[in-house]
Amino acid sequence: MINYAYIIVLAPLVAAIMAGLFGKKIGRTGSHWITVLGVAISFALSLLVYMGIVWGDEEPLNTNLYTWLSSGGINFHVGFLLDELSTTMMVIVTFVSLMVHIYTIGYMQDDPGYQRFFSYISLFTFSMLMLVMSNNFMQLFFGWEAVGLVSYLLIGFWFKKDTAIFANLKAFLVNRVGDFGFLLGIAAVLMYFNSMDYAEVFQQAPAMADRTINIWADKQWSLMTVICILLFIGAMGKSAQAPLHVWLPDSMEGPTPISALIHAATMVTAGIFMVARMSPLFELSETALSFVLLIGAFTAFFMGLLGLVQTDIKRVVAYSTLSQLGYMTVALGVSAYSAAIFHLGTHAFFKALLFLAAGSVIIGMHHEQDMRKMGGLRKYMPITWITSLIGSLALIGFPGLAGFFSKDAIIEAVHHSDRYGADIAYWAVLSGVFITALYSFRLIFMVFHGKERMDEHTRAHLKESPSVVTMPLILLAIPSVLVGAIFIEPMLFSDYFGSSILVFPENNSLKEMGEHFHGWFEMIKHGVTQLPFILAMLGVVVAWVGYIGFPKAPGNLASILRPIHWVLTKKYGFDQFNQIFFAGGARALGSLFSNIGDRLMIDGMMVNGSAKFVGFISGVIRHIQSGYLYHYAFAMILGLLALLGIFVHGF
């Protein structure tokens, strides 16, 4: 198994190096084949390891490959932890990445940076695999920063666009804020546990449950609460939880394939995975879990509302990702870690499908992304339409599809939790069902139905995307339908995750749902009578009324609710606040330091001032050195008189 682990990690890395350094020699075809092959090998071996550990009799593997550094009795290792949680993530990451690689062949075929793009996405896959397979905090941080670095390169892939450069810089800086908290959390773990190894830290954690530390003044804080909140701040950056969510919508400036990879299976899921991995720590802090719960609830509800006013097809799907990440975070906050990972998995398939379908539409529309200039595309692009419809139905939780099982499980878990903030979170995620259905089918109706609003040139050239684009859509649509029914019982109500996730019995918010679970078919029959299904269907109906039945109604409603619409179009002012307060404040502070510190203090006083002082002294001394003999004789006489005075008077 360890040999498989080596290959799983190294295959995408070797492929990335080959495409990146030798892309001109092996050509465009060689670059895409070697990277597709590398990720395909990783997927096949990940599936093999997954089957052996989760469904077979293989024991989880926790091994160190080598010691990177030893200092002060602490060893920093590079190693692998292959258990139920990590192997599940490996399969999700490599499968979605493989679909994105294949799709990219068609989407990026005319791009001059073709080889570079394949190198980046393969490197992205390697980084995420290093993150999920790590068995220690040091390697976790390496993967954490690596996905951040590669996302910076990919969001700004079209580096000649000012908006792309602004977006990747924004993503990089916002994530540095979260990563600062994450690094402090890891430092606290190292300081108090004297180890970076997961197993050792988790073993010591119960003994640290009542430990308090003094942060400032005489205020005592729970050590576990401090560590968990600091670690979660890192997750807020990577998994785009408010207020560190602002980078994710702007990441749409990158090519569509990377939008799918970032939003579905790699970077944004890293925070969810990390909290689930750290469940033995988070279970020891009710305060930290309540904090996680409330942040997730806020993100799920308020970021979903922003999807209602977007006109860019990719940004609608991006705000959907923000909202769904909020659902996963809410599940983490009520200790339903398995439900969070379950929704992460189902979401990876249907969200990748929706992004790639959006890219297919963009190809057909000659890179037009404004939904107001679309309409009626279903007769031109039937495969894209059908797969988009499947993805949207899965997203809104239509009974029987993947999202139905995972989203309803989260709603039920929150409903049965007695954690502080659970009541607020329940109504947030329940209301989010209606919002999700409304913006999802707003997109479907505006893009694929109704009046055709494109220009004649675009209409004349409209056609279905090539098979290299549509095949990944079909392959992603299949798990978007099936994985929910297949995995709900083993993942949520059995020992699927083994010891990789820890939930205290008193925190098991899925227990009551499990007691009433009688199979996936019975859940479907029960689900069609419940409030989430009713709200979802209401959202679909409202979307039909507003964008098919009475297309002028949304504009009229926006005029009536102009203040609310303005707030939503301004995205609650997060971006403006950041630009004015943080970016503007940083520029003002820099200008202050430049004017006072650099120009006045350093240049004015130290550099120019010292030069002027030397010039002044030189001018004075120059008068003494006159060149006249009688001046020197007079000076000598004065000196002799001064010496005589000292000898005579003793001073």
Side-chain angles (χ1 to χ4, degrees), residues 490-512:
M491 268 200 175
L492 301 189
F493 310 122
S494 71
D495 196 32
Y496 176 95
F497 287 105
S499 60
S500 60
I501 287 178
L502 174 67
V503 181
F504 291 161
E506 63 271 21
N507 291 342
N508 189 355
S509 54
L510 290 168
K511 181 180 179 182
E512 187 169 341

Side-chain angles (χ1 to χ4, degrees), residues 258-270:
I258 194 52
S259 300
L261 198 55
I262 288 177
H263 287 240
T266 53
M267 185 167 170
V268 298
T269 61

Side-chain angles (χ1 to χ4, degrees), residues 292-579:
V292 172
L293 175 62
L294 292 172
I295 291 292
F298 181 91
T299 305
F301 180 75
F302 287 100
M303 296 305 111
L305 287 175
L306 297 182
L308 298 174
V309 298
Q310 302 302 311
T311 56
D312 184 310
I313 185 172
K314 286 173 63 177
R315 285 184 180 267
V316 175
V317 187
Y319 279 106
S320 168
T321 299
L322 283 174
S323 182
Q324 297 307 304
L325 288 167
Y327 274 84
M328 299 174 210
T329 305
V330 163
L332 297 171
V334 295
S335 297
Y337 307 101
S338 56
I341 298 299
F342 183 34
H343 194 51
L344 183 157
T346 61
H347 176 265
F349 298 121
F350 59 71
K351 187 51 61 70
L353 170 59
L354 287 172
F355 266 113
L356 297 186
S360 179
V361 169
I362 293 168
I363 292 172
M365 291 292 298
H366 298 282
H367 298 281
E368 177 59 67
Q369 297 182 200
D370 192 335
M371 297 190 299
R372 294 170 296 184
K373 299 179 182 179
M374 300 180 188
L377 294 187
R378 64 189 175 93
K379 67 181 181 182
Y380 301 101
M381 310 181 75
I383 297 175
T384 302
W385 168 59
I386 289 292
T387 52
S388 296
L389 184 61
I390 291 171
S392 297
L393 288 170
L395 172 61
I396 72 171
F398 189 81
L401 276 69
F404 164 75
F405 297 100
S406 57
K407 186 180 286 188
D408 274 30
I410 292 174
I411 294 172
E412 286 299 305
V414 178
H415 186 51
H416 293 121
S417 174
D418 58 0
R419 180 153 292 137
Y420 177 80
D423 292 340
I424 297 172
Y426 174 70
W427 289 108
V429 294
L430 194 61
S431 303
V433 174
F434 170 78
I435 296 167
T436 302
L438 181 53
Y439 66 63
S440 297
F441 274 81
R442 171 179 176 263
L443 184 152
I444 291 292
F445 293 141
M446 287 184 72
V447 173
F448 296 103
H449 297 266
K451 181 182 177 182
E452 298 176 3
R453 298 180 297 278
M454 70 286 294
D455 58 59
E456 287 300 324
H457 179 267
T458 302
R459 182 186 289 108
H461 292 84
L462 267 174
K463 61 180 180 179
E464 185 59 270
S465 298
S467 57
V468 73
V469 171
T470 57
M471 183 179 69
L473 301 183
I474 296 168
L475 293 176
L476 285 166
I478 295 170
S480 297
V481 174
L482 298 178
V483 293
I486 294 171
F487 285 96
I488 182 170
E489 186 168 2
M491 268 200 175
L492 301 189
F493 310 122
S494 71
D495 196 32
Y496 176 95
F497 287 105
S499 60
S500 60
I501 287 178
L502 174 67
V503 181
F504 291 161
E506 63 271 21
N507 291 342
N508 189 355
S509 54
L510 290 168
K511 181 180 179 182
E512 187 169 341
M513 182 182 176
E515 292 172 351
H516 296 89
F517 183 80
H518 301 292
W520 61 268
F521 187 69
E522 289 297 322
M523 184 175 176
I524 292 174
K525 290 200 302 183
H526 179 70
V528 296
T529 65
Q530 299 302 300
L531 189 55
F533 173 72
I534 296 171
L535 288 172
M537 293 302 99
L538 181 61
V540 174
V541 171
V542 171
W544 184 91
V545 169
Y547 295 95
I548 299 296
F550 303 93
K552 292 184 179 180
N556 295 333
L557 185 62
S559 298
I560 295 171
L561 303 176
R562 184 170 297 173
I564 296 174
H565 185 264
W566 182 84
V567 169
L568 294 178
T569 55
K570 294 297 182 181
K571 297 172 281 189
Y572 308 118
F574 280 108
D575 284 330
Q576 288 84 351
F577 176 79
N578 290 335
Q579 283 295 110

Side-chain angles (χ1 to χ4, degrees), residues 21 84-85 95 119 123 160 164 185 199 206 221 244-245 288 290 296 302-303 333 424-425 443 486 490 548-549 604 648:
L21 297 182
E84 296 84 356
L85 177 58
F95 176 73
S119 175
L123 186 61
K160 293 184 179 180
W221 290 72
L244 301 182
H245 66 282
S290 292
F302 287 100
M303 296 305 111
I424 297 172
L443 184 152
I486 294 171
I548 299 296
V648 173

Side-chain angles (χ1 to χ4, degrees), residues 18 21-28 31 115:
M18 292 295 293
L21 297 182
F22 308 105
K24 289 186 177 180
K25 290 187 177 181
I26 63 178
R28 296 164 74 90
S31 295
Q115 294 98 315

Side-chain angles (χ1 to χ4, degrees), residues 126-173:
F126 158 76
S127 302
M128 190 65 185
L129 287 171
M130 285 292 285
L131 190 156
V132 301
M133 295 171 66
S134 64
N135 70 345
N136 61 83
F137 284 91
M138 185 202 76
Q139 189 173 326
L140 171 70
F141 189 71
F142 167 80
W144 195 267
E145 292 303 306
V147 294
L149 171 63
V150 184
S151 70
Y152 170 82
L153 296 173
L154 284 163
I155 294 169
F157 180 78
W158 287 320
F159 53 83
K160 293 184 179 180
K161 290 174 58 180
D162 291 339
T163 52
I165 296 302
F166 180 84
N168 75 346
L169 184 61
K170 185 177 183 179
F172 194 80
L173 292 176

